[in-house]
Amino acid sequence: MDEYHSYLYTPEQGELLQRFITTEDKLNISKELRSIIVNISKTGLTCYPWEQLKILLQSTLSTILEGFKNKLLTEKVKSGIALDQEKFQRKKEQLLQLIDSFEGPPFTLQRFCELLVDPYTLYSSLDTYIFALEKMLSVSALIKTLDPSEYNRQLPIQTAAFIAATKITKLSPISTEQLNAMNEINSDTFSNGTEFATRIPGSEGSDRMDTS
């Protein structure tokens, strides 16, 4: 998918989302459905009914978290650090419930969608990623759901602004210092009470996290 291309709303895309929320297979998220999240991550705009959009967000997040879990289970063999699956499942359900609790798109929807677009590149630590998600869902303000015609009118403008912004700044993961501050307050992490740090390839024996 083109990093700088946004897709205008079409009735077909709306129907695709509507069919998705009624299907039992919520793990098979098509490129067309993924483009909805990518568009929001670039522009902060949405024209999709929140009751439908939040199911797409929940399904996408669930798939990502399962990917992190599988990665940690594989790393367990190398590191000897066990994943606390009960804590993981509890935290996952809490995040999904937070999404469901909003009566409309949260004010942080754009940033939240950014976290769903390329999580494995931005975050090597599940704890850090969970903290970032919780931060984005700890708001009460909502944004407006646009009608499709207004969405299509604003989309090129906001996409151009996104392109200009990416030439100046780069999305960064939450820092190790922020995570440490969080851990002082909340010890409910996923590796037997110890933050799990995915080791950088070629640095076996090191506890340094890859936060680039």
Side-chain angles (χ1 to χ4, degrees), residues 39-83:
N39 273 6
I40 297 173
S41 75
K42 297 175 183 177
T43 67
L45 304 176
T46 177
C47 63
Y48 300 92
W50 173 243
E51 291 302 313
Q52 297 178 13
L53 179 59
K54 72 179 181 182
I55 293 176
L56 176 60
L57 297 177
Q58 287 172 315
S59 299
T60 302
L61 177 58
S62 181
T63 300
I64 291 170
L65 291 175
E66 288 298 319
F68 268 109
K69 183 182 77 171
N70 293 336
K71 182 179 180 181
L72 291 179
L73 291 173
T74 300
E75 287 291 331
K76 173 185 174 181
V77 177
K78 300 178 181 179
S79 66
I81 302 176
L83 170 68

